[in-house]
Amino acid sequence: MRFQVVGLNHTNSPLDIREKVSLPPDLLAEAYDDAHGLVHHQGLVIVSTCHRTEIYVAGAVPLGDVLAWWERVVGVDRGDFSDYLYWYQDDQAVSHLLRVATGLDSMVLGETQILGQIKDAYQIAHGLGKAGRLHRIFDYALRTGKRAHSETGISHNALSMGHAVVELARNVFGDMHNLTALVMGTGDMGTLVARYLASAGLGRLLVTNRTRSKAVALAEKLGGQVIEFGSLEEALRQSDIIVSSTSARGLVLSYEMARSAWRGQGQRLRFLFDMAVPRDIDPRIMSLGAGLFLYDVDDVKTIVRANLAQRQREVTKVERIIREEQDDLTEELGASRVGPVIQRLREKAELIRQTELDKALHRLPNLSEAERTVISETTRLILNKFLNDAMVSMRQWGGDDAKTSYIDAIRDLFQLEDGTTGEFGRDLAVEGE
Amino acid sequence: MGAVLISVALLGYFAASVLYVAGLYDRQWEKWANIGMLAGFASQTAWLIGVSWTTRAFPALTLYEWVAFFVWLTVGLYVIGWRRLFPRHVGGFLFPILFVVWLLSQTLSQRVGTVPASLTAPWLGVHIVLATAGYVAFLFSAVFGIMYIEKERELKEKRARLFYYQLPPLDLMDVYGARLIMVGVPLLAAAMVMGAVWAKTAWGSYWSWNAKELWSLITLAVYLGYLLARWFGGWRGHRAAVLAMSAFLLVLVNIFAVNLLFHGVHDYNF
């Protein structure tokens, strides 16, 4: 089966081009409908997101036909976008799809959204009856994506400030359900962090601000509780996570204040995020206990950078999974070519054995049941042993394009060509260029 | 036969040590580490059964046997608790320690044990199992202490490296460490109370102030102190982790130094 992909993505094309040629959901039905005109096509899946538009085609469809169809559907002259296109075939196309599915090809390395988008794209094509023979390939793509997410860290570790703060807190506390967070000030960064914390299943969110109305607004939005600036000490006492992002010139949380607020709380774990510039929290408070962690904006950024590096280290592991899955797919496509031939050969041999065995037993009517079994078993063993090497070799040919003709030779040699099975086998064959 | 089984077990645990550490970097090694661990465990189980069969006694009467039994019990708990009770990557810290401890024990006299006539009660086995189980719990708490300190270091330095990414949350390791000590203290205490009652019948007095008894008492007191400091002094996290690690040094001293250097009624054990 010939398999190709043509498309463009965020790395090689500007946004205005991607916009023009994208195939949003409302265009899809029409696009798939129009694909009737693609001669020889045996399956079509359109993957269109804000970062990429890719057309996956099964069958020997000339590239020019695909482009003609594309420009017709989006109403943009192909000259306007053909410079940005990439085109891969067969193994390379499979490898490209698997890379996309695992997030290796994404703008945010290892992101998981694309896997869902591929799944949706495939289901739409399938629902319209257009996916055709791409079924197995997309199955493999989805499986490879899942494996990459579960077996490697490619999609782990936050790449945004908000996520990184939640992740840091989780690394200290684990479960967030019993935790209390205090948000001081309603600066941009503090608000952002508060939003992420609130959506991470935080137990209780306290908000305080010099201007009370702003605190009320934020607390309402995030389901928090407003604390008067005056009763900060009690709130500090109760909080496990403290986020500060006021626009104050001086310190908001001083050493003395923290010391008196946390007196008698021993070595309790606490995470403080000072998201303000200039900083709100006196770094000297770190000497108040070994359970304290204080990160400022730059520290969180350092973690984000380390996270990206960590994901990049996972790339080789994902590539290993891609190779494994691609090998399996190649083998499976090959097996679907030799499988029917092997089966026919077995059936023919078995038929001959049965016929001859019946004749022989008919001529020997005085044999006991045990003797009949021995004879029957012997013929079966002879047959199996004789065919075994041939079967093993044929299975190995499956993945090897250079040996396609051998399979035809087997068919001729044993005269296996009898209608549907042979045709079916040939139909699924991975035909070369 | 015994030497073969010991070699296989040592080899299995060595493989597990290396591969669990490798598993911190790449998960694909974990399944091989598990295979090594299970092979070692099976082989060691067979060896212990063999020793018990030959001596017709509990297979932990000499120090050499006892260390093997201690390692075996630890691995057994790891097998049971693996994935359910313990977070990932405990093996990467536990097995190197186990391997070194057991390897050290190979230098000990390998005489198989004979039971002193005064101590042939079934109490002996129960006494040993209780104390050993207590020590196993303490070893696990020390392992969680090490994991805590390593991860905490990266968090404090604000440099996310291996442990930041691979180890469970600090709070979890802290709580696990404490729970294990909460299990270990009653076990060791029970072993000692039982020992005392039995000593009364066997030796004529509850307590004879020998080095083993004294050191065990100190060990128990330190672990009890850990719990009290935690409950009443707010000791958590860093301090608790350091205490759990240093307290286990007392156990190691008890195992190696006290058993080998001091002699008395309690020292049939070398």
Side-chain angles (χ1 to χ4, degrees):
Chain A
M1 179 178 75
R2 172 89 177 275
F3 174 56
Q4 55 183 325
V5 55
V6 55
L8 41 72
N9 68 14
H10 57 94
T11 52
N12 55 9
S13 61
L15 180 60
D16 60 322
I17 297 290
R18 292 208 303 275
E19 278 170 354
K20 275 190 210 155
V21 302
S22 79
L23 292 158
D26 52 311
L27 261 181
L28 279 182
E30 186 194 327
Y32 277 117
D33 228 27
D34 200 4
H36 271 311
L38 294 176
V39 188
H40 300 311
H41 102 82
Q42 296 167 311
L44 179 74
V45 173
I46 301 166
V47 176
S48 192
T49 73
C50 29
H51 294 307
R52 68 183 65 246
T53 297
E54 294 179 336
I55 320 290
Y56 291 88
V57 187
V61 184
L63 178 61
D65 289 4
V66 178
L67 292 183
W69 160 79
W70 195 347
E71 70 179 354
R72 199 165 58 239
V73 176
V74 296
V76 178
D77 190 74
R78 81 176 82 163
D80 290 350
F81 63 93
S82 59
D83 282 354
Y84 302 103
L85 293 175
Y86 42 81
W87 179 47
Y88 302 115
Q89 303 180 73
D90 301 323
D91 282 354
Q92 279 189 316
V94 172
S95 146
H96 175 77
L97 174 60
L98 300 192
R99 285 182 72 84
V100 173
T102 50
L104 289 192
D105 203 47
S106 295
M107 192 144 92
V108 177
L109 180 65
E111 55 100 8
T112 54
Q113 241 183 346
I114 185 67
L115 189 60
Q117 289 163 336
I118 289 180
K119 191 174 176 186
D120 294 345
Y122 172 73
Q123 270 165 359
I124 289 172
H126 184 69
L128 294 170
K130 301 290 177 185
R133 305 239 313 261
L134 292 175
H135 169 67
R136 289 306 290 156
I137 293 176
F138 273 80
D139 249 16
Y140 268 84
L142 297 181
R143 189 168 74 195
T144 310
K146 277 183 212 146
R147 274 190 67 191
H149 297 325
S150 67
E151 291 174 29
T152 76
I154 191 72
S155 56
H156 301 174
N157 306 315
L159 295 185
S160 74
M161 296 288 279
H163 272 135
V165 165
V166 172
E167 183 186 284
L168 278 161
R170 283 224 172 95
N171 263 302
V172 169
F173 301 106
D175 188 20
M176 311 266 284
H177 285 96
N178 299 320
L179 301 184
T180 301
L182 169 66
V183 177
M184 303 192 292
T186 53
D188 289 344
M189 195 54 94
T191 316
L192 173 91
V193 168
R195 206 173 57 228
Y196 276 95
L197 284 173
S199 62
L202 196 66
R204 204 155 68 101
L205 182 71
L206 311 176
V207 183
T208 184
N209 194 47
R210 252 183 237 288
T211 321
R212 194 173 188 280
S213 60
K214 283 188 185 169
V216 172
L218 183 63
E220 254 171 32
K221 212 163 72 186
L222 302 176
Q225 181 185 341
V226 179
I227 299 290
E228 299 304 326
F229 215 74
S231 55
L232 197 55
E233 196 166 309
E234 184 49 34
L236 282 170
R237 231 184 127 65
Q238 294 171 6
S239 302
D240 306 284
I241 301 170
I242 295 159
V243 180
S244 188
S245 70
T246 73
S247 48
R249 288 262 148 251
L251 294 174
V252 175
L253 178 54
S254 67
Y255 176 81
E256 288 74 21
M257 198 168 165
R259 193 178 53 183
S260 94
W262 297 335
R263 181 163 291 138
Q265 289 195 322
Q267 307 290 310
R268 184 167 159 175
L269 293 172
R270 265 201 182 90
F271 214 134
L272 297 98
F273 295 97
D274 190 346
M275 298 283 115
V277 181
R279 285 182 291 177
D280 284 343
I281 300 174
D282 188 344
R284 285 186 302 147
I285 63 159
M286 286 303 286
S287 61
L288 286 171
L292 296 176
F293 299 87
L294 170 61
Y295 275 52
D296 61 30
V297 178
D298 284 359
D299 297 332
V300 179
K301 275 186 192 151
T302 311
I303 294 293
V304 169
R305 270 198 299 275
N307 285 352
L308 181 61
Q310 181 71 11
R311 283 194 186 199
Q312 277 155 351
R313 275 195 286 277
E314 297 294 302
V315 168
T316 47
K317 294 180 201 166
V318 175
E319 282 171 341
R320 187 178 68 217
I321 291 175
I322 290 179
R323 269 196 306 280
E324 281 171 18
E325 291 293 333
Q326 197 169 358
D327 287 349
D328 284 357
L329 176 64
T330 311
E331 198 177 305
E332 186 184 309
L333 291 177
S336 72
R337 174 173 50 170
V338 295
V341 179
I342 289 177
Q343 203 191 341
R344 280 300 303 146
L345 188 58
R346 259 189 191 292
E347 280 167 10
K348 181 162 182 175
E350 182 61 23
L351 189 69
I352 294 169
R353 184 181 82 91
Q354 276 302 341
T355 324
E356 295 304 319
L357 185 66
D358 286 351
K359 276 191 215 162
L361 291 178
H362 194 68
R363 291 211 302 265
L364 300 165
N366 297 328
L367 293 183
S368 71
E369 193 53 41
E371 287 163 334
R372 294 168 80 93
T373 316
V374 169
I375 292 181
S376 161
E377 208 33 30
T378 308
T379 57
R380 200 181 59 79
L381 283 173
I382 292 170
L383 210 64
N384 277 355
K385 287 202 170 152
F386 181 72
L387 284 179
N388 188 45
D389 290 344
M391 300 290 174
V392 171
S393 306
M394 282 164 73
R395 290 221 165 83
Q396 282 163 358
W397 298 345
D400 193 344
D401 280 343
K403 291 185 172 157
T404 315
S405 59
Y406 288 21
I407 292 161
D408 292 332
I410 294 280
R411 236 185 245 130
D412 285 350
L413 211 54
F414 291 96
Q415 301 185 353
L416 298 176
E417 208 72 74
D418 66 342
T420 53
T421 320
E423 278 305 308
F424 179 59
R426 194 169 279 174
D427 183 47
L428 275 177
V430 183
E431 283 154 16
E433 290 303 288
Chain B
M1 189 58 192
V4 174
L5 288 174
I6 291 227
S7 307
V8 171
L10 273 172
L11 208 65
Y13 291 159
F14 176 70
S17 308
V18 173
L19 292 170
Y20 277 128
V21 172
L24 280 163
Y25 294 88
D26 190 340
R27 278 184 197 186
Q28 66 165 325
W29 299 113
E30 268 181 18
K31 59 174 184 286
W32 299 106
N34 289 331
I35 291 169
M37 180 266 290
L38 288 172
F41 186 62
S43 184
Q44 208 190 4
T45 308
W47 182 75
L48 283 170
I49 291 173
V51 167
S52 183
W53 184 260
T54 324
T55 58
R56 309 271 164 201
F58 195 78
L61 297 184
T62 64
L63 183 55
Y64 175 70
E65 288 169 13
W66 181 82
V67 173
F69 177 68
F70 171 71
V71 169
W72 179 84
L73 202 61
T74 312
V75 179
L77 184 63
Y78 179 79
V79 171
I80 294 167
W82 177 61
R83 283 290 165 85
R84 275 166 290 179
L85 220 56
F86 303 127
R88 208 185 195 103
H89 296 311
V90 169
F93 293 82
L94 179 67
F95 276 83
I97 298 176
L98 280 183
F99 177 72
V100 169
V101 166
W102 197 25
L103 196 65
L104 281 179
S105 82
Q106 296 301 312
T107 62
L108 297 169
S109 156
Q110 304 192 359
R111 172 176 71 83
V112 283
T114 48
V115 194
S118 59
L119 300 174
T120 44
W123 293 117
L124 182 61
V126 181
H127 175 67
I128 293 174
V129 170
L130 282 174
T132 312
Y135 290 165
V136 170
F138 295 152
L139 171 58
F140 271 100
S141 80
V143 165
F144 282 112
I146 297 170
M147 290 166 76
Y148 183 97
I149 295 292
E150 291 303 330
K151 179 151 183 157
E152 186 201 40
R153 193 202 320 277
E154 291 191 3
L155 272 162
K156 289 265 181 191
E157 286 175 359
K158 296 162 186 175
R159 286 172 62 185
R161 278 170 304 198
L162 185 63
F163 300 126
Y164 172 82
Y165 292 113
Q166 299 300 337
L167 298 188
L170 288 184
D171 188 58
L172 186 105
M173 294 187 286
D174 183 49
V175 169
Y176 275 36
R179 274 187 203 157
L180 282 155
I181 290 178
M182 270 182 245
V183 172
V185 165
L187 284 171
L188 183 58
M192 289 174 70
V193 169
M194 227 199 87
V197 172
W198 178 33
K200 175 73 178 165
T201 57
W203 296 334
S205 71
Y206 289 109
W207 191 262
S208 43
W209 291 108
N210 62 48
K212 181 95 182 169
E213 288 173 358
L214 196 57
W215 201 267
S216 302
L217 190 66
I218 293 171
T219 308
L220 185 66
V222 168
Y223 278 107
L224 204 59
Y226 171 103
L227 292 179
L228 294 177
R230 192 177 178 92
W231 288 332
F232 304 110
W235 276 41
R236 294 197 55 195
H238 184 85
R239 282 192 201 175
V242 171
L243 187 53
M245 291 191 303
S246 12
F248 191 71
L249 290 179
L250 290 178
V251 175
L252 285 178
V253 168
N254 199 352
I255 294 172
F256 288 110
V258 174
N259 278 326
L260 294 176
L261 299 181
F262 298 91
H263 299 282
V265 276
H266 223 137
D267 84 329
Y268 45 84
N269 219 1
F270 74 84

